[in-house]
Each structure stands twice: as structure tokens, then as C-alpha cells.
Amino acid sequence: MELSKSSLVVLILTSICYVVQSTEVSYDGRALKIDGQHRVIISGSIHYPRSTPQMWPDLIQKSKAGGLNAIETYVFWNGHEPRQREYNFEGNYDLIRFIKEIQNAGLYAILRIGPYACAEWNYGGIPAWLRKIPGMQFRTNNQQWKDEMQNFTTLIVDMVRREKLLAPQGGPIILTQIENEYGNIMGPYGEEGNQYVKWCASFAQSLEVGVPWIMCQQDNAPQPMINTCNGYYCDQFKPNNPNSPKMWTENWSGWFKAWDKPDPHRAAEDLAFSVARFFQLKGSLVNYYMYHGGTNFGRTTGGPYITTTYDYDAPLDEYGNKRQPKWGHLKELHAAIYMMEQALIHGDVKDVELSKGVWATKYIANGITPGCFISNTNENSDATVDFEGAKYFVPAWSVSILPDCKQEVHNTAKVNVQTSIMVKKPNTAENEPNDLKWSWRPETLRHSLKGLGGSFTDYTLLEQITTTLDESDYLWYMTSVDTKQYVGITQEHEVTLRVNSTGHILYAFVNGHLIGSEYAPNGNFTFMFERKVMIEPGENKISLLSATVGLKTYGSFFEQMPAGIVGGPVQLIGDDFTIDLSKNEWSYKIGLDGEKKKLYLDNPEDKWYDEKLPTKRPFTWYKTKFQAPLGLDPVVIDLLGMGKGAAWVNGNSLGRYWTSYLSSTNGGCRDYCEYRGNYQSQKCQTGCGEPSQRWYHVPRSFLKAGEPNTLILFEEAGGDPSKINFQTVSVGTICATIDQGKTVSLSCQNGQSISKIDITRFGEPEGSCGRFEKSGCDSNEAYFAISNACVGKESCSIQNSENLLGGCKSNSLTSKKLVVQATC
Ligand code: GAL
């Protein structure tokens, strides 16, 4: 093929551009240097498999708009290599596409390859098939492990290199991580652990990615690995080498949710405080873990008991909506920090204590406007301080940012952005009946209950993970016992069936009947199942179905934490005898019949029944058709009334559900969250005693518009689908509390406009958005002016000025703060 002149020119030009685009990443003790320039990096975690490729551009744009200049993700090994040397990089596992979306948005990427992730992800991200490799031990100086880790890590590095995604190739990846928080758990591995850390470092370097490697929570990270900090606060962190910059790989923006726990929240004020303190104390890179948490689709939730939602109380909620005020408050913080970026990364630091617990920090550099922070780390006492000739009010547990050391541009405790209360609305599709029409079919149990259909037998009770290699949640243990040989059993006889299980859930069947089930609450998987049962003289069939709900993610030797009925004992206990079945011949079957038939794909040959819809019937498949809700708002399914199982829409997994599991009151719940003082995950919780997860995300891309969609459920514990319905999530009530002279903007989303103004009130507000108390003074002038400016618009901005006071002017107000509440 001959190249025309013009294409030759294009070719030359692109290669020149390519050279120009290549980015050099280096660092010193101060910060990362990008093309020789020190940079402040503000990054956020988005885990690509926890959303869909269709959602990625919007999530990334909202991250950029929120003031991030980088996106971080782990790489999820067991998602990419579900079976040894069988790879999956499709759909929401399309890592390359995700990184390219980051690049398209003009952001940097931080790739935490691991390949151990933790991340509340099934088995910490490590494929369970590794367990079949003889002699395998995870995350230590074990040849089998190192071989597999090397194989996968090299594969990922080769892939990103091939796609030119590393910074020196002009790509967005500026940092790569090996391992994850190994330092936290390495003690019990002894010298082997130390050797492994050294191996990780030299292996990583041998990959020659051309960007720095990080090892988080790894105090003994060998040079040139950079050790970084994870936690709620990292201001006190010091890297192990003076030439390593102070970087914070996980600033937990909230916390993850478990089936047995309430919803954790971390206040925007505290999160902002932690970040500002970090930069005040010479931090140079912060990453929010998570910026968008998302959803654990499929069987990806980790144990113990991580929910399908991985919302994390992150700045973008599970569905991708801006969580306000968190998103907006951080955006303002980021803008203030970037304003003083030059001073921060070049300046000398001068600290002065202005009063007890109140410090001013000044960054001074030649030829650059100095930048200042004033922090008040007291938990209760607000402070008014003099600094360089001016007075500043610094509330308790807050940091003020003065990018020119004169004017406060941001204070982490002063929230000047709207609060949005999200609401769920009924399905808006036309002609969609309130009650869905269901069909059903039973899970075929009869073979298993007769002990038939096993794929192999063994004379021991096997460990579940090593038996199933996590190909399914379910493992049948089936045996039979002839009681005639036991003295005294010549007629029906009541005994106790006792099963010692290491979890996670057990269903016991005797002679074809379900006699009971049990799970161990609070993440403690070991439990003893005991039920009275009648046994026959002669042969009795005992079938035990053990189910896992996500494998352990964390801790030394976590992979060896057993599941299933390993070793038992399984016993039948009568008044004066015990029959131990542990050494019986057990027949094993992995998975359910419906899973093997792939009933969730709704194949035309599958038979479903329309009549006599059963409820509270364990092991039942349900199916219905529905129309997709109109509009752009995210879609959820309300599974109230259901027990435990899994859900699919048009063959796409929504994940496991466990609606019947009520969250504990562990730590207590409260509406108001005190942001002052150190945060921990039980500090601010809601939803005590409620179904721990009732709503499940149905990404828009799973739905077909204008034609029927199929929902299929597998209900394992017994549920009632009659209340199930689809809803959309949108902004409901919005509020802002505006200081005098300040301007705040209000907005809805997805094209929705403000429909009415509910409150325009002056004074110190009491209560919270949607629940303000009747205190202060309602102003008609403000009402008309704001209604005029906002109603019918998707967004508007409001300045709290004197003329809005109207009749409230004469009122003896303690404050002239303006509270506005509106409805979208
Ligand atoms: C860290 C870990 C993360 C995640 C986090 C809690 O220890 O590195 O992967 O598990 O805890 O959400």
C-alpha cells in the first residue's frame, strides 16, 4: 500500500505529537513531579467492575467537575481470570476501556495492580482456583503464589503497555501499586513475609513501567517503592524515606456496609477537615476511597457479609448521583487547594500556634504568593484568632484555607453548598401496572434430596472453597444412614441432627424434607446447627446444602479460613446413642440445578408456571416482565418482602440480595451526625433494625426501552414477591443555609427543574433539610425573589443580601443566615 503525501504528513505529525505527549513522572520528598513540575494530586477511587461502561464517562466527568485530577482503581484478578488462563476483559471488566475513559477526560490514573486488592471484594480479588495448586500459600514467599502473581501482574502491565497507557508512553497512568496493605498483616508470616516484600519490590521494578511504584501501609517498603498511608486521617504519616513524598492512598470517604450492620456515614465537614489537615502538614497526594463506590454485581461481594451495595457514603452515590453536600463541599475545598498549589509544593513551612490547638501554617516560596492554613483541632471550642493583622473565626475541628494568606476561601466546617435529599419514585413507564405479574418454578431438589446426582464421593466432610473453587455459592453434602444397625431403632425415632459448620449458611434436609436452616450472624462463620428430626428405621437420606455469601477478604492467611461443613462432626443424637456420620460416604454436588440450567437467561425451553404463585417457599425461581422507567434517573428494584437470593435483569446479575436480614442496632443510629472529633465507622449510622439492603441498582444499560424486560429471582429462603416494584432515584428536597453576603446555587439533576420553594427563612436554622423546625423569621420578599429566580429552572443561584430580609428586617434575629428549602 502506498501512502499518499497527506497521510504521510499526518503520520509524521501524530508521531511528533506522541513524543510531545509523553509524560515523565518522578518525585522527591515533596511531591510527585510531572514533567519536572511538582504537582498536587487529588484523586478518587472508582472500581470499574462496580459500575457499567455506560456509566463510566459520567462518573469520570462528575469526578473531574468535583475537582479531581486523577482516578484510582484496583485491578480485580478473579474477575479477569475466573479460571486459570481463561481471561475476561469484557463489559464492566474492560479495564483498558476504563483507563481510556480516564484519559479522554484528561485525568491521571493510578493503577493498583496488587493483584491482591482487599476492597470488600470476594476473596480480596484473588481467584479461588489458586487453591487447587499444590503447596499454594497466598501472599508470602511461596513459589506457587509468586508464579501466579507474576503471571497476572505481567499480563496487566503488558496490556496497558500495549495500549500505551503508561505516562511515559503518553498515557494517563502516573502511579502503579504492588500488593496492598501487606504491612498490616505480615507479622505472622515472619521472615517469609519480609522476603516476600523484597520480592514484590524487585519484581515490580523488573516490569519497567517507567512510573513510580507504591506500596500502601508498608513501613518497610524497600526503595524505590514509596510507602503510602491509608486511613481516616493521615496528617501524622511520614514516609519511610525522606525522598518519598507524603501520599495518602485511601482516605475513607465513609465506610462499607454489611448485611448485619446499619448504614455508615461520614460527614462532609470531617472528610474535608482530614484532607485540609493533610495538605497543611505537607501532604501532596490524596485519594478518596471511594469517590464512587458502586455495586457488587454477580457474586463479587466479599465476606464477612458485605452487601451488594458498595455505596460507601462516597461523594458520588451508588447510582452515580452527586451526594450533596459532600460532593460540592469537597469541590470547593479542592479549588482552594489548587489555588495555592505552587506555594504548597515549593514553599518553606512556618508554623505558629495562635491559641491552644489552633495553628497557622504558612507556605512561603520565592516569587510565589504565600499560602496559609489555619487549623483548629479542638473538638469543642471554636476559636477567633488574630493572624497577620486580621481576625479569623475558625470553628472547632476545622481548617481555614487562605490561598493568599489573607482571605479565607474555604473553611472545612462551613458548608456553602446545597444538601440534596434523594427520593425514590414509582416506575414512570406508561401502562405499567402496580402489581407485576409473576410466574415461577421450583428449584429441582428431588435428586439431591435422594442423594443422587453427586459428581464424586468421599469419606470425609470436605472444605467448601477448595471443593467448589467458588464456581458456585452452593455445595451439597449428601449421605444416607441405615439405622437398623443401631440398637433400639425399630420404629420412627426422634433424634437431634447436629452439624458443626464453618459457614456461611446451612439448609438441612432429612428424608426429603427441609428441617431447618441457619446462618451465623455478625461475620462469625462458625456455628452449630441442631434440630429435632424423626428418623425411620432403615435407610435415611441426609442432604446438607451449604452456601457461601462471599469469601473472606482480609487478614493473615485469610484464604485458609474454611467454609462449609469441613470435618463436621455431623451427628444424629438419640437419648442413649450418637451416630457419627462424619466418616460416612458423602456424595458431593457443586451448584444448583437452576444455575446449571442458567434459568436466569430465560431460555425459551424453560418451563415456568403462571398459576398458584407460591410465597414463603424456599428454593423458588420467580420471573416477571416489566417496562423500563422513562427518563434518565437511575433505576432500582425494591425487594421488600423477599428473603435471600439473587436477581437478574435481562440476564445481567444485580447481585445477591438478602432483604430479610435486618441490620443490628450495633453502635446505635442517629439522625444528626456530629462531625467534630475522630471518626470511626459506627459514629454516624442510620437504618438500625431495617432491612439492611432493600433497594438494588438496575443500571440503565441493563434495560431495553419500549419492550418488556425480564426480571428473574432465585429465592433461597422463602419470600413474597408481591410487593416488588421498580423505582427511580432522583433529587427530592434541596436545601441551602446561606451566610450573609454569600451566594449558593441550587440545582436538581437529569433535566428536572425546581418545582417550588418551600422555605425562605432567616435566623439560625434548627433541624435539617426536609425537617427544619419553625424557628426564625419567614420572609415573603425572599420567597418571591427566589421563586422568581428558581422555579422552573434546573438550577439557579441565590445571594443572601439585605434586600431579601423584607419584613424580617425589624425582627430581632440572632443571625441573618438564610435557609432555603425547595422541591425538585
Ligand atoms: C483497606 C483496604 C481496602 C478496603 C478498605 C476498607 O484496608 O486496603 O481495599 O478494604 O480497607 O474499605
Side-chain angles (χ1 to χ4, degrees):
M1 187 187 73
E2 264 195 31
L3 284 179
S4 69
K5 246 191 196 157
S6 57
S7 44
L8 206 62
V9 172
V10 171
L11 202 72
I12 293 167
L13 278 179
T14 28
S15 20
I16 292 172
C17 288
Y18 166 63
V19 172
V20 171
Q21 273 172 7
S22 151
T23 304
E24 187 210 336
V25 186
S26 58
Y27 60 91
D28 59 19
R30 198 59 187 260
L32 284 186
K33 290 204 264 181
I34 298 191
D35 286 333
Q37 300 294 314
H38 281 115
R39 290 295 304 275
V40 158
I41 303 291
I42 303 180
S43 165
S45 296
I46 301 178
H47 295 158
Y48 52 97
R50 287 177 157 147
S51 51
T52 59
Q54 292 76 8
M55 291 169 71
W56 295 340
D58 179 59
L59 295 173
I60 294 167
Q61 274 312 322
K62 284 174 175 158
S63 307
K64 186 177 183 180
L68 302 191
N69 55 14
I71 303 289
E72 177 275 348
T73 183
Y74 283 123
V75 175
F76 295 87
W77 186 1
N78 54 10
H80 292 303
E81 194 174 353
R83 276 163 291 278
Q84 197 168 14
R85 308 298 177 260
E86 275 178 37
Y87 295 105
N88 171 25
F89 287 91
E90 300 291 308
N92 58 338
Y93 286 95
D94 193 342
L95 170 66
I96 297 298
R97 175 162 167 192
F98 181 70
I99 302 173
K100 287 186 174 168
E101 294 290 1
I102 298 173
Q103 182 173 33
N104 291 342
L107 300 181
Y108 297 123
I110 300 173
L111 198 61
R112 299 215 279 168
I113 304 177
Y116 164 73
C118 192
E120 290 68 70
W121 186 270
N122 188 33
Y123 231 19
I126 299 181
W129 56 255
L130 255 62
R131 295 291 304 281
K132 75 177 180 204
I133 298 174
M136 168 66 67
Q137 216 186 348
F138 290 8
R139 302 180 72 203
T140 186
N141 191 29
N142 168 284
Q143 200 53 47
Q144 292 84 329
W145 165 259
K146 291 188 293 186
D147 287 348
E148 286 299 326
M149 170 165 171
Q150 176 163 348
N151 186 70
F152 181 72
T153 308
T154 310
L155 177 97
I156 294 298
V157 168
D158 287 349
M159 271 178 88
V160 296
R161 206 194 316 266
R162 203 177 314 123
E163 299 288 337
K164 304 209 181 335
L165 294 173
L166 294 158
Q169 305 173 291
I173 301 171
I174 54 165
L175 280 179
T176 41
Q177 174 175 297
I178 194 86
E179 250 298 338
N180 186 70
E181 290 195 334
Y182 190 63
N184 289 3
I185 54 97
M186 66 181 285
Y189 295 92
E191 188 41 35
E192 292 296 289
N194 286 323
Q195 291 306 323
Y196 173 56
V197 170
K198 289 191 190 134
W199 176 82
C200 286
S202 63
F203 164 57
Q205 266 181 282
S206 74
L207 293 167
E208 298 185 339
V209 290
V211 301
W213 282 96
I214 50 175
M215 290 185 89
C216 62
Q217 296 287 100
Q218 194 70 55
D219 290 344
N220 64 346
Q223 287 301 303
M225 303 285 114
I226 306 174
N227 69 315
T228 65
C229 181
N230 295 345
Y232 287 117
Y233 306 93
C234 277
D235 44 314
Q236 302 303 325
F237 170 73
K238 279 204 171 46
N240 67 8
N241 186 295
N243 295 322
S244 297
K246 176 172 171 177
M247 305 200 283
W248 189 358
T249 28
E250 291 181 26
N251 180 357
W252 301 320
S253 57
W255 197 241
F256 58 86
K257 186 169 161 61
W259 296 114
D260 54 342
K261 304 262 171 13
D263 295 333
H265 306 282
R266 185 179 185 191
E269 292 93 327
D270 178 56
L271 186 54
F273 169 78
S274 70
V275 173
R277 279 288 290 162
F278 184 69
F279 283 110
Q280 180 181 18
L281 275 76
K282 284 199 161 176
S284 65
L285 174 151
V286 65
N287 174 65
Y288 294 98
Y289 185 100
M290 302 296 297
Y291 197 76
H292 171 255
T295 310
N296 291 314
F297 299 114
R299 298 171 51 247
T300 61
T301 64
Y305 287 8
I306 308 300
T307 50
T308 291
T309 176
Y310 196 64
D311 177 87
Y312 221 89
D313 201 37
L316 299 177
D317 73 12
E318 177 179 6
Y319 319 119
N321 300 308
K322 291 173 189 166
R323 173 167 276 120
Q324 294 283 43
K326 201 177 257 188
W327 181 87
H329 189 52
L330 294 175
K331 174 185 164 105
E332 298 206 334
L333 165 74
H334 302 154
I337 289 177
Y338 290 129
M339 282 171 82
M340 59 196 281
E341 179 174 11
Q342 290 308 311
L344 280 182
I345 48 193
H346 294 111
D348 292 331
V349 180
K350 235 175 66 189
D351 287 315
V352 267
E353 187 163 24
L354 303 175
S355 67
K356 196 170 172 299
V358 183
W359 285 84
T361 304
K362 187 169 187 176
Y363 281 83
I364 314 154
N366 255 346
I368 293 168
T369 317
C372 291
F373 294 89
I374 307 177
S375 63
N376 179 356
T377 53
N378 293 301
E379 284 185 31
N380 301 310
S381 33
D382 297 341
T384 300
V385 289
D386 286 310
F387 176 62
E388 300 194 343
K391 270 204 181 336
Y392 298 90
F393 172 64
V394 190
W397 205 257
S398 81
V399 181
S400 291
I401 299 178
L402 291 56
D404 61 356
C405 290
K406 293 191 184 81
Q407 206 203 336
E408 174 190 305
V409 163
H410 183 83
N411 173 280
T412 59
K414 300 177 190 168
V415 176
N416 293 310
V417 296
Q418 79 180 53
T419 294
S420 305
I421 311 250
M422 305 307 289
V423 289
K424 302 201 173 70
K425 295 184 179 157
N427 189 349
T428 46
E430 273 171 59
N431 306 324
E432 183 66 2
N434 283 342
D435 296 326
L436 295 162
K437 204 176 145 332
W438 290 93
S439 50
W440 69 284
R441 56 179 278 155
E443 163 66 19
T444 309
L445 297 172
R446 57 177 188 279
H447 306 297
S448 312
L449 303 193
K450 286 190 196 140
L452 303 173
S455 47
F456 64 96
T457 63
D458 204 294
Y459 287 89
T460 42
L461 286 156
L462 297 174
E463 197 282 322
Q464 185 159 348
I465 304 170
T466 44
T467 305
T468 63
L469 299 177
D470 202 32
E471 291 280 344
S472 164
D473 282 1
Y474 301 97
L475 177 62
W476 285 101
Y477 294 73
M478 304 174 289
T479 195
S480 67
V481 51
D482 187 344
T483 52
K484 266 201 238 109
Q485 56 183 289
Y486 295 92
V487 225
I489 307 185
T490 51
Q491 54 190 26
E492 234 193 13
H493 201 95
E494 190 185 72
V495 296
T496 299
L497 170 66
R498 177 187 283 173
V499 182
N500 187 26
S501 168
T502 53
H504 309 164
I505 302 182
L506 182 74
Y507 293 89
F509 299 83
V510 174
N511 296 328
H513 299 288
L514 176 64
I515 60 153
S517 69
E518 195 147 317
Y519 59 88
N522 306 323
N524 172 13
F525 289 152
T526 310
F527 63 91
M528 186 74 87
F529 172 91
E530 280 185 331
R531 286 288 189 291
K532 295 270 183 230
V533 54
M534 299 304 282
I535 51 167
E536 313 278 339
E539 200 189 35
N540 289 270
K541 298 278 184 201
I542 297 177
S543 299
L544 304 172
L545 178 63
S546 174
T548 50
V549 276
L551 307 183
K552 203 166 182 232
T553 61
Y554 183 75
S556 316
F557 308 107
F558 75 90
E559 80 274 22
Q560 290 168 29
M561 163 107 165
I565 314 169
V566 50
V570 175
Q571 296 163 325
L572 292 171
I573 304 167
D575 292 339
D576 47 11
F577 62 90
T578 296
I579 308 174
D580 193 338
L581 306 176
S582 312
K583 302 231 158 23
N584 259 33
E585 182 178 24
W586 289 88
S587 174
Y588 288 90
K589 182 154 61 170
I590 298 168
L592 297 176
D593 186 64
E595 282 182 297
K596 278 187 200 129
K597 292 204 174 89
K598 300 202 165 107
L599 291 179
Y600 45 86
L601 294 181
D602 193 24
N603 298 308
E605 67 271 18
D606 299 335
K607 208 169 149 39
W608 293 81
Y609 306 106
D610 295 328
E611 307 300 317
K612 298 201 190 123
L613 184 79
T615 59
K616 304 283 165 224
R617 183 186 187 285
F619 303 103
T620 305
W621 293 81
Y622 293 103
K623 177 168 100 165
T624 191
K625 300 266 180 202
F626 66 99
Q627 294 286 337
L630 302 174
L632 298 171
D633 287 330
V635 178
V636 290
I637 175 169
D638 181 357
L639 291 181
L640 194 66
M642 297 308 285
K644 177 186 178 293
W648 295 263
V649 163
N650 297 332
N652 301 288
S653 165
L654 306 184
R656 298 189 187 95
Y657 67 81
W658 201 345
T659 321
S660 59
Y661 207 142
L662 303 188
S663 69
S664 67
T665 47
N666 187 354
C669 281
R670 47 197 72 80
D671 285 337
Y672 173 71
C673 182
E674 172 57 68
Y675 68 83
R676 296 177 298 183
N678 276 325
Y679 179 74
Q680 43 78 18
S681 64
Q682 285 179 8
K683 189 174 175 186
C684 305
Q685 307 183 118
T686 57
C688 286
E690 288 171 23
S692 48
Q693 190 183 345
R694 179 175 157 186
W695 288 279
Y696 295 80
H697 186 204
V698 188
R700 282 272 174 194
S701 60
F702 290 3
L703 297 170
K704 293 174 281 184
E707 46 183 307
N709 295 279
T710 309
L711 166 69
I712 290 182
L713 303 172
F714 171 61
E715 172 57 56
E716 153 191 323
D720 176 0
S722 66
K723 291 198 227 37
I724 291 180
N725 64 94
F726 289 86
Q727 300 166 4
T728 52
V729 184
S730 60
V731 180
T733 303
I734 53 179
C735 301
T737 303
I738 315 168
D739 280 330
Q740 243 209 325
K742 290 263 181 193
T743 303
V744 168
S745 61
L746 289 183
S747 62
C748 303
Q749 67 171 21
N750 292 334
Q752 219 185 332
S753 50
I754 297 171
S755 65
K756 65 181 174 57
I757 302 297
D758 309 319
I759 298 175
T760 49
R761 188 170 295 158
F762 283 92
E764 271 301 326
E766 275 173 43
S768 58
C769 187
R771 278 188 304 231
F772 283 116
E773 319 237 319
K774 183 101 192 83
S775 58
C777 173
D778 288 330
S779 155
N780 278 337
E781 281 71 9
Y783 177 79
F784 288 119
I786 295 171
S787 298
N788 242 332
C790 298
V791 173
K793 310 240 167 71
E794 195 181 336
S795 69
C796 60
S797 68
I798 306 166
Q799 190 185 19
N800 178 0
S801 57
E802 211 47 42
N803 59 4
L804 291 184
L805 272 166
C808 294
K809 220 177 236 159
S810 49
N811 200 300
S812 57
L813 290 166
T814 48
S815 138
K816 288 182 184 164
K817 271 192 184 139
L818 170 62
V819 175
V820 181
Q821 183 178 305
T823 304
C824 282

